[in-house]
Amino acid sequence: MNKIIKNTLILTTITLVAGILLGLVYEVTKAPIAAAQEKAKQEAFKLALPDAASFEAYSGYDESDAAEVLRNAGYPDADITEVVIGKDGNGNDLGCVITVVSHEGYSGDITMSVGLLADGTVKGVEMLSISETAGLGMKAAEPDFRGQFQDKQVSKFSYTKSGEQGDDKIDALSGATITTNAVTNAVNSALAYFQNMLGGSVNE
């Protein structure tokens, strides 16, 4: 019995020490990890809206309002998680960057930043997180695919497998229709939010 109690005390002590050490490691690394994540996000904002000199959080953003907009627009499988206003060098509103999480990816969520000018022109689509199939869905992160959205001013996009032409047409990735659909719907979600919550303009 004494041996059992002794072993139990040893295991309890080891568990407590390990827990304390893990807690200390988390506290030490928490700030650097957060700083790295914020830096990556700011870099994505800049790539999505390259003409902006700075970015400010959009004060009108509300998670529940965003969810309602997307449901009404037919995109219930996406979330708007952040909206920032891009400013030019003089502090004037230039456009916005909308961060979207799509839950329609083949291998999980796809998170991206969509940059829009004040007139609704898409200036860039940057991936923040994507883990689709290598050589297939992962091609959605490549410039050739993302570039199809760039400098287009349309109310929404749709993808095509037949090479159909038009500013609103996106060539589907071969063998990755699910990923193509997820990314296209995510960009459309950003457009729907822009049109409904920002009135089609970032100028207040």
Side-chain angles (χ1 to χ4, degrees):
M1 179 67 73
N2 288 336
K3 186 176 181 180
I4 293 174
I5 293 173
K6 181 180 178 181
N7 289 338
T8 301
L9 289 174
I10 291 173
L11 288 173
T12 301
T13 301
I14 291 173
T15 301
L16 287 172
V17 171
I20 291 170
L21 290 175
L22 283 173
L24 290 173
V25 170
Y26 171 74
E27 287 301 321
V28 169
T29 59
K30 181 171 64 174
I33 289 173
Q37 290 174 337
E38 181 62 25
K39 181 181 178 182
K41 190 168 63 174
Q42 290 294 323
E43 289 174 350
F45 291 165
K46 183 63 179 175
L47 290 170
L49 195 64
D51 292 336
S54 61
F55 300 93
E56 295 181 5
Y58 172 52
S59 60
Y61 169 75
D62 179 84
E63 184 178 353
S64 60
D65 288 344
E68 183 177 0
V69 166
L70 297 193
R71 282 196 304 270
N72 292 338
Y75 306 111
D77 296 316
D79 294 317
I80 302 294
T81 60
E82 187 172 11
V83 181
V84 296
I85 304 299
K87 305 279 187 176
D88 64 18
N90 295 318
N92 300 311
D93 293 346
L94 179 69
C96 65
V97 180
I98 299 173
T99 301
V100 188
V101 179
S102 169
H103 305 298
E104 297 183 289
Y106 182 80
S107 300
D109 289 350
I110 300 173
T111 305
M112 66 192 75
S113 291
V114 181
L116 298 162
L117 291 179
D119 64 0
T121 300
V122 177
K123 288 305 295 179
V125 174
E126 291 297 321
M127 296 295 173
L128 293 175
S129 175
I130 182 171
S131 56
E132 299 294 89
T133 305
L136 295 173
M138 281 304 292
K139 289 184 177 181
E142 296 178 1
D144 284 348
F145 179 77
R146 292 183 291 106
Q148 294 184 84
F149 298 96
Q150 191 172 347
D151 295 322
K152 304 291 178 58
Q153 185 183 28
V154 300
S155 59
K156 63 181 293 187
F157 291 95
S158 62
Y159 65 87
T160 175
K161 297 180 181 180
S162 63
E164 184 180 353
Q165 298 297 304
D167 281 354
D168 63 336
K169 301 302 179 185
I170 301 299
D171 287 331
L173 292 167
S174 178
T177 303
I178 292 175
T179 305
T180 301
N181 181 68
V183 174
T184 302
N185 282 349
V187 175
N188 285 339
S189 297
L191 287 171
Y193 183 88
F194 174 79
Q195 292 155 7
N196 288 276
M197 296 303 295
L198 294 169
S201 173
V202 298
N203 298 314
E204 300 178 339

